[in-house]
Amino acid sequence: MFSDHTLGIGGGEYYTYLLLQALLTRYDVDLVREPNRLAPDPAHLENGFGFNIAHPNLTLRTVERPAELRDYDLLINLSHFRAWPPVARRNLLAVFFPQVLNDRVRDYDAILTISDYSARAILRRWGSERVVVAPPAVPGGRFSCGTAEPLVLSVGRFFDVADGNTKNHLLMVEAFKTLCDRGVAGWRLALAGSVDPAHADYLQRVEEAAHGYPIDILTDVPFDTLRDLYSRASIYWHATGLERTGLTDTPSSAEHFGITVLEAMAAGTVPVVADI
């Protein structure tokens, strides 16, 4: 299994490790990376997700040339932008949304994706009907319902990428500030998520916009803290796919699945999301 999604704390990484856990119940698995990529940090992942990736059937391997993968029974290529040559006996291309990939797409035995929304986009952009939809899931017992408080929660990485499925923190902050200015009192907005140093400027803009209002900006919080927030929130707010003028008309800017919406529902929190 080759994946670009092994270092951060977001939906891509969550899906990667769910998929790994499923594979490891049946197979020996090598998680491969290129020499210029860092190895995943087990402590970081356990802190952010509560997942322990240690497993006797899992090996982390560095691969310099795709030809080294010829002897595998199955190659799973999980990436937005990188399709290795499908050289194994069977080859599965896993994508969350059909971003820019090269012509190797047609050489894979099948494409794995996470939602009907993404499957339709794959058919439209790549013309491929060999698509398997395997949505992510939230294991039972991972979250629990608590006593609801006047708390609005949104969980998502702090990043700003043109035409990407950004979480629109600034839009939520401005909307919540408007509610406060109109007299809504006693409520707090909590924005929780991981942050990459490359997007520190974006985080700073969110923090500056929230200053002086009952808005908490929570970065890289441990999973136990996140689970507590879910259990106490009354409303879960997910603004991906929204713009100031309404719903986005850029397919890649909408939410491809939205795992955090499932997490909120598992904790008994009412989700408010864009109908797109």
Side-chain angles (χ1 to χ4, degrees), residues 96-112:
F96 303 128
F97 194 81
Q99 307 282 19
V100 178
L101 284 170
N102 58 30
D103 293 338
R104 292 181 183 140
V105 167
R106 297 183 181 277
D107 296 331
Y108 276 76
D109 294 298
I111 299 173
L112 176 71

Side-chain angles (χ1 to χ4, degrees), residues 80-99:
H80 278 311
F81 304 107
R82 180 92 159 87
W84 285 28
V87 297
R89 294 182 181 92
R90 298 298 299 275
N91 301 275
L92 185 63
L93 182 64
V95 291
F96 303 128
F97 194 81
Q99 307 282 19

Side-chain angles (χ1 to χ4, degrees), residues 240-253:
T240 301
L242 289 176
E243 297 177 349
R244 291 185 180 279
T245 54
L247 298 175
T248 181
D249 58 3
T250 304
S252 61
S253 295

Side-chain angles (χ1 to χ4, degrees), residues 109-127:
D109 294 298
I111 299 173
L112 176 71
T113 195
I114 56 174
S115 63
D116 290 336
Y117 180 86
S118 293
R120 289 193 297 269
I122 288 169
L123 176 61
R124 185 172 63 248
R125 288 191 173 190
W126 293 344

